[in-house]
Amino acid sequence: MSRSPLPRRPVLVAALCAVALSLTGQATAGPPPEPVSATALPYQDPSLPVADRVADLLSRMTVDDKIGQMAQIEKDALVPQSDLATYRIGSVLSGGDSTVSPNNAQTWADTYDSLQRTALGTPLGIPMIYGIDAVHGHNAVRGATIFPHNIGLGATRDPALVQRVGRAVAQEVAGTGIDWSFAPCLCVARNDRWGRTYESFGETPEVPGAMTTFVTGLQGETLGSGPASVLATAKHYLGDGGTTGGVDQGDTQVSEAELRAVHLPPFREAVRRGVGSVMLSYSSWNGVKSHAHKYLVTDVLKGELGFTGFVVSDWAAVDQLDGQSGFTAAEITTAVNAGVDMVMVPHDYKKFLSLLRGEVSAGRIPMARVDDANRRILTKKFQLGLFERPYTDRSLTPGVGSAEHRALAREAVRASQVLLKNDGGVLPLAKNARLFVAGKSADDIGNQSGGWTVGWQGRSGAVTEGTTVLQGIRAAVTDPSRVTYDRYGNGIDGSYTAAVAVVGETPYAEMRGDRPGGMGLDQEDLQTLARLEASGVPVVVVLVSGRPLDIAGRLPAWKALLAAWLPGTEGDGVSDVLFGDHAPTGKLPVTWMSSASQQPINQGDGKTPLFPYGYGLTYDTGTGPDPDPEPTPAPKACTAQFRVASSWSGGYQAEMTVKNTGTSPLTGWSVAWDLGGATVTSLWNGSLTVSQGRATVRNTAHNGALSPGATTSFGFTANGTAGTPAPQCAGS
């Protein structure tokens, strides 16, 4: 990681100096940078290729050094802290409720540097790597910028914006010293009862696939390039959004063809972008847990997809393999041999390391597997620059929660708003209108930020700094005195221009967030809305939620409905849309149910939704049809190349690569080919029509623009045989 503009002295020298350093986290830890000495060992020489440095270091490591690198320990479990060096532990994390006191960026940086000094105090001076769930901003840190959760970012349909968000998150994470974020979640949410639906960018693979730009935002174009490069994590591999009943940590009961068509493509795209780590899912595929699935982890991820980073387990997930509490040697052997490189222990590390050492000594875990895991982990540490720049770059620390990042978050909020109803053009609201604002989420940063916000499950209230929706409304109007607020809707009468009800879900995260029963509004919301509706004032509902809610029966009483998702700390992004400073542009990343009984409901399944996938209104701009349209230009030049990715008895999976072979940019493309009797069963990164045995695929919103020489691709599964199609491409 580029933590400092200049290289530091070799790690062994730095480790010796560390003894004399205070553990209070002063500055960037250590004397001025010095050039690498002529006596430095090869792995300490930054001028050598990373592969050579890894090989040299690996040759010097003991078995204890190697198994220590494969362990990740919760920060608060390291008692005493010196165990980090004693047991050669390679990674530390902060779980969802793990914090520092006082909770601010400075203390986090001090804590990181103190731990790093301890890690460097080993004979080989191997730095630790520190992981944290920075899933919608550096959300463990009070005062950090909290961005919309992924479901809102998916509604933006803007991969470039998501990359900018990732870059800002990386800068804030690096400002606290931390070098590894457990993000992005690339789950494809297929059942909105699932409590992690808001961690998904959408219900089809094309949207999470497009939003893997977040990986580039976190890591940079290459890992370790530029300031604040943070290791990204594609999670949770594989199929956690498709469990039966939407049960968290449940069983994804689908065919391999469907698993590959729906759940695998975003991970393929993340690997293509060079994601440094992949976290496995708690869930199972047809009864076999992901952490024990050698075919999915080693054969498909590392083999077929060519993933060269390292695989990390989820929190205590290896300990779940036998269904009983407490590590067993068999669980560890199963997971490591399946392809797990680093185990998030996170607490009982002495027992874990003892069992792992015993399994390696007995040959049940081959030393070649241990070396492969270490090679993958150490490669990322070298690429991040941890051996040269092991401490926090304190020049980044003041940027945590900066005005620049909050402005970006506000932009992301307004781009995520999806306007679902606007009868009579009640929106946008006039800035001189007399308004009544109500609802439990109107003036609550905790509610509008959701789970994973200064705590695992999140909570209501003033959990961190930011702007509530109510504050955004008051800042937007010409006269704040004309805005009346009462949480419960008490005191409204017919004198108001409109009533804005900010209602929805209160914070939750995995497990506690599952909704196997009803999916409607709670009693407080219903009573508040009843008071507003009884006044006769037009009601505008702003729905703060991590998923669609069952509101069809209430919708006729509302003049407008705006899906705000979980916007984070910048509530003024919602008011930007309410008052028309920015027209709504968001599109539904998930299908909106007519009733909870329809779950699961997804695009193309034949069920009639309240609002379809991709739906979203905007404000009338007043423009009519073009009275003098230009003639349609001739198609621009492009080619399409067909490739069979895999096949099985009765079916196959294929990929089509589209290339702009012309001299001018494309704004769209289509590819047509004869199916030869085959039937397309699923498709991603395109829109399919079939007529008289001929398939035509058109671009989606995110992959239509191609500069000269640029390529994109779409994929599909089909029943039948692939044959040798001759695809024809047309550009526009």
Side-chain angles (χ1 to χ4, degrees):
M1 176 180 294
S2 295
R3 301 177 177 279
S4 171
L6 295 173
R8 295 191 179 276
R9 60 172 60 202
V11 165
L12 283 180
V13 179
L16 293 173
C17 292
V19 178
L21 289 171
S22 164
L23 296 182
T24 59
Q26 295 297 316
T28 52
E34 294 180 5
V36 176
S37 68
T39 58
L41 297 172
Y43 78 88
Q44 297 171 296
D45 185 351
S47 69
L48 292 178
V50 166
D52 293 351
R53 300 178 73 185
V54 170
D56 178 69
L57 178 54
L58 201 58
S59 72
R60 302 173 189 278
M61 295 170 69
T62 66
V63 172
D64 285 343
D65 289 326
K66 292 176 181 180
I67 66 173
Q69 287 298 305
M70 298 172 67
Q72 185 178 55
I73 313 303
E74 159 61 44
K75 166 181 67 68
D76 294 340
L78 282 168
V79 181
Q81 183 173 305
S82 59
D83 274 1
L84 183 60
T86 301
Y87 292 93
R88 309 291 197 265
I89 291 165
S91 183
V92 178
L93 84 150
S94 284
D97 288 323
S98 178
T99 188
V100 297
S101 183
N103 186 354
N104 57 44
Q106 179 72 32
T107 312
W108 278 97
D110 292 346
T111 302
Y112 175 93
D113 284 355
S114 175
L115 287 163
Q116 191 66 282
R117 289 190 191 100
T118 302
L120 294 174
T122 57
L124 293 173
I126 302 174
M128 67 157 189
I129 185 170
Y130 198 120
I132 199 165
D133 286 278
V135 297
H136 65 138
H138 200 3
N139 42 260
V141 182
R142 184 178 177 91
T145 309
I146 306 300
F147 292 87
H149 267 296
N150 285 355
I151 194 169
L153 294 180
T156 70
R157 297 298 203 279
D158 190 342
L161 173 63
V162 169
Q163 182 168 326
R164 291 163 55 208
V165 169
R167 183 91 297 266
V169 174
Q171 290 167 355
E172 297 206 7
V173 169
T176 62
I178 295 172
D179 27 57
W180 180 11
S181 173
F182 303 139
C185 185
L186 299 179
C187 49
V188 182
R190 305 292 288 176
N191 190 322
D192 300 330
R193 294 186 183 279
W194 187 38
R196 305 190 79 153
T197 296
Y198 65 76
E199 295 187 54
S200 171
F201 291 108
E203 71 180 33
T204 65
E206 65 184 37
V207 176
M211 299 310 177
T212 56
T213 51
F214 193 86
V215 171
T216 306
L218 283 179
Q219 296 187 166
E221 291 299 330
T222 58
L223 191 62
S225 64
S229 178
V230 168
L231 191 76
T233 308
K235 68 181 190 183
H236 302 87
Y237 185 87
L238 181 67
D240 56 337
T243 61
T244 299
V247 175
D248 190 53
Q249 303 186 23
D251 192 11
T252 301
Q253 298 170 325
V254 299
S255 67
E256 181 170 350
E258 183 175 341
L259 188 76
R260 285 176 170 274
V262 175
H263 300 284
L264 188 62
F267 289 91
R268 180 186 293 110
E269 184 62 18
V271 170
R272 189 188 70 80
R273 287 185 174 274
V275 69
S277 67
V278 168
M279 183 183 291
L280 301 185
S281 172
Y282 284 117
S283 63
S284 303
W285 175 42
N286 293 334
V288 180
K289 286 187 175 291
S290 296
H291 286 74
H293 216 302
K294 186 175 183 180
Y295 172 69
L296 288 181
V297 180
T298 296
D299 297 347
V300 176
L301 176 62
K302 294 181 175 180
E304 181 182 323
L305 269 59
F307 174 61
T308 59
F310 66 88
V311 171
V312 63
S313 79
D314 209 334
W315 176 279
V318 172
D319 185 20
Q320 293 187 2
L321 290 182
D322 64 2
Q324 299 180 12
S325 179
F327 274 112
T328 65
E331 287 176 316
I332 295 169
T333 295
T334 297
V336 173
N337 286 340
V340 175
D341 301 307
M342 181 183 288
V343 175
M344 191 184 294
V345 176
H347 292 112
D348 194 358
Y349 53 91
K350 295 177 185 178
K351 180 179 180 181
F352 167 78
L353 290 169
S354 176
L355 290 172
L356 176 56
R357 185 186 299 107
E359 293 300 280
V360 173
S361 298
R364 286 184 286 271
I365 297 177
M367 185 55 68
R369 174 77 269 273
V370 173
D371 285 347
D372 174 60
N374 271 260
R375 190 174 293 108
R376 290 169 176 271
I377 295 164
L378 293 171
T379 295
K380 296 308 166 187
K381 290 187 176 184
F382 277 115
Q383 289 175 343
L384 279 167
L386 290 175
F387 283 80
E388 288 71 55
R389 301 174 296 277
Y391 300 108
T392 307
D393 181 349
R394 298 301 176 118
S395 69
L396 296 171
T397 309
V400 177
S402 68
E404 177 186 2
H405 293 164
R406 290 185 182 277
L408 175 61
R410 179 174 180 172
E411 178 185 349
V413 171
R414 61 181 178 245
S416 71
Q417 304 299 288
V418 181
L419 182 61
L420 297 172
K421 181 178 180 180
N422 192 23
D423 279 3
V426 65
L427 294 179
L429 298 168
K431 292 188 177 182
N432 61 356
R434 189 161 186 253
L435 302 174
F436 193 98
V437 180
K440 67 175 182 289
S441 296
D443 196 30
D444 194 305
I445 283 285
N447 284 357
Q448 73 186 42
S449 296
W452 290 106
T453 306
V454 197
W456 173 37
Q457 295 287 328
R459 61 180 175 85
S460 301
V463 298
T464 191
E465 289 77 38
T467 302
T468 67
V469 175
L470 175 64
Q471 289 169 332
I473 290 172
R474 284 178 168 158
V477 298
T478 54
D479 182 0
S481 69
R482 293 176 62 79
V483 176
T484 300
Y485 167 67
D486 182 87
R487 170 173 172 156
Y488 305 103
N490 294 317
I492 190 172
D493 57 36
S495 66
Y496 291 92
T497 308
V500 179
V502 189
V503 295
E505 295 184 301
T506 50
Y508 56 85
E510 57 193 299
M511 298 171 65
R512 300 179 200 173
D514 285 2
R515 294 189 68 167
M519 298 182 69
L521 297 167
D522 64 22
Q523 279 304 114
E524 179 183 329
D525 286 344
L526 294 174
Q527 291 169 2
T528 299
L529 287 164
R531 295 183 187 102
L532 301 182
E533 293 160 5
S535 71
V537 172
V539 176
V540 174
V541 172
V542 176
L543 196 62
V544 174
S545 67
R547 55 190 149 199
L549 297 183
D550 191 349
I551 45 86
R554 310 291 310 185
L555 188 59
W558 307 339
K559 282 292 186 181
L561 172 61
L562 186 69
W565 312 111
L566 297 171
T569 53
E570 309 313 304
D572 36 16
V574 178
S575 61
D576 285 342
V577 171
L578 286 174
F579 292 96
D581 292 323
H582 296 268
T585 57
K587 304 296 180 184
L588 284 181
V590 289
T591 303
W592 202 291
M593 60 193 157
S594 293
S595 71
S597 64
Q598 290 184 313
Q599 290 294 339
I601 180 171
N602 293 288
Q603 181 189 38
D605 62 9
K607 299 176 183 178
T608 303
L610 182 61
F611 301 108
Y613 174 86
Y615 183 84
L617 305 172
T618 191
Y619 298 147
D620 184 5
T621 60
T623 59
D626 186 350
D628 186 22
E630 294 294 324
T632 302
K636 296 179 181 179
C638 62
T639 60
Q641 184 175 1
F642 175 88
R643 181 181 72 87
V644 175
S646 61
S647 61
W648 52 89
S649 177
Y652 64 95
Q653 177 181 329
E655 181 180 81
M656 200 83 76
T657 300
V658 180
K659 181 176 182 178
N660 180 357
T661 55
T663 58
S664 57
L666 297 182
T667 57
W669 49 262
S670 64
V671 176
W673 73 99
D674 290 326
L675 287 168
T679 303
V680 175
T681 54
S682 63
L683 179 130
W684 52 96
N685 290 340
S687 175
L688 172 71
T689 56
V690 178
S691 177
Q692 297 180 337
R694 189 168 175 82
T696 300
V697 171
R698 291 177 172 80
N699 62 277
T700 64
H702 74 268
N703 65 359
L706 290 177
S707 58
T711 63
T712 188
S713 64
F714 64 88
F716 63 93
T717 58
N719 292 329
T721 57
T724 56
Q728 296 176 328
C729 184
S732 59

